[in-house]
Amino acid sequence: SVLLPPAPRTAAGGMVARGVAAVALWAICGAALAAGEEDAARTYNILAFERCGQDNRWKLHGLWPQSGVYCDEVHFDYSLILDLVPKLTDVWSCTASRLGRKDLWQHEFEKHGSCMGVDQHEYFERALELAQQHVHRCPRKSWAGHSCRLCLGPAPEMAYFPCPQPQG
């Protein structure tokens, strides 16, 4: 039998995201595991977007593998992504404005990028490319919510596919 992953929580124990969408995402991912899709669940990736403030554009929230965090010991070096900073600032600015850009990008690479099997520059470059390639898949209407998560297959293609739906 397959154990369902715990619902995502903050360090303080609260839910990472609020509302039905967060629970639905966890349930969908859990259903995929329970349905015996363990290999697919280990290899697919989440490309997450968010909206913030008065800006109705989708901003990149992150790119992470479906399973695993802090996979390899890595050390963030801001100087290695200086050429990407203008684009990162524009595309990833929603969360970055709350946490501080360097701190956010360090967190993203150490927690998620360390599980992607690529170096720091390639991780951010790939996240930017995928965001540009797939952001149109997120709903255009502002009433559709403030977060959008897309499923992407394994590297190197990382092709879009509809996220697994719960059975039943």
Side-chain angles (χ1 to χ4, degrees), residues 21 30 34 41 89 92 107 110 119-120 126 138-139 144 154-155 160 165-167:
T89 300
W92 225 310
H107 164 80
E110 290 176 353
D119 66 37
Q120 178 178 318
R126 186 70 168 145
C138 292
Y160 168 79
Q165 297 297 313
Q167 301 294 320

Side-chain angles (χ1 to χ4, degrees), residues 46 48 50 60-65 69-70 74 76 88 92 95-96 99 101-116 120 123-124 127:
I46 301 293
E50 64 183 342
L60 184 60
H61 178 79
L63 170 66
W64 53 84
V69 293
Y70 300 107
V74 295
F76 180 76
L88 286 168
W92 225 310
T95 304
L99 299 178
R101 291 183 185 119
K102 289 181 186 179
D103 290 341
L104 170 68
W105 297 327
Q106 179 176 355
H107 164 80
E108 290 295 316
F109 181 65
E110 290 176 353
K111 183 174 182 179
H112 305 299
S114 67
C115 299
M116 302 295 283
Q120 178 178 318
Y123 170 73
F124 288 106

Side-chain angles (χ1 to χ4, degrees), residues 35-164:
E37 299 172 9
E38 295 135 27
D39 290 338
R42 275 196 288 273
T43 59
Y44 79 80
N45 302 284
I46 301 293
L47 184 65
F49 296 90
E50 64 183 342
R51 289 186 173 134
C52 60
Q54 298 297 326
D55 189 354
N56 203 31
R57 294 184 308 148
W58 288 109
K59 302 286 189 166
L60 184 60
H61 178 79
L63 170 66
W64 53 84
Q66 176 53 32
S67 63
V69 293
Y70 300 107
C71 297
D72 295 323
E73 187 172 329
V74 295
H75 300 285
F76 180 76
D77 182 349
Y78 184 72
S79 69
L80 297 177
I81 61 168
L82 286 175
D83 63 314
L84 300 175
V85 167
K87 187 71 171 168
L88 286 168
T89 300
D90 180 49
V91 175
W92 225 310
S93 64
C94 202
T95 304
S97 63
R98 292 194 305 263
L99 299 178
R101 291 183 185 119
K102 289 181 186 179
D103 290 341
L104 170 68
W105 297 327
Q106 179 176 355
H107 164 80
E108 290 295 316
F109 181 65
E110 290 176 353
K111 183 174 182 179
H112 305 299
S114 67
C115 299
M116 302 295 283
V118 296
D119 66 37
Q120 178 178 318
H121 191 275
E122 188 175 344
Y123 170 73
F124 288 106
E125 189 172 51
R126 186 70 168 145
L128 290 170
E129 289 170 0
L130 290 166
Q132 182 178 5
Q133 182 180 354
H134 295 290
V135 69
H136 73 279
R137 298 180 189 281
C138 292
R140 293 181 183 207
K141 303 291 185 190
S142 61
W143 52 261
H146 295 285
S147 66
C148 171
R149 293 177 187 238
L150 305 175
C151 292
L152 304 176
E157 297 85 13
M158 296 183 88
Y160 168 79
F161 68 95
C163 291

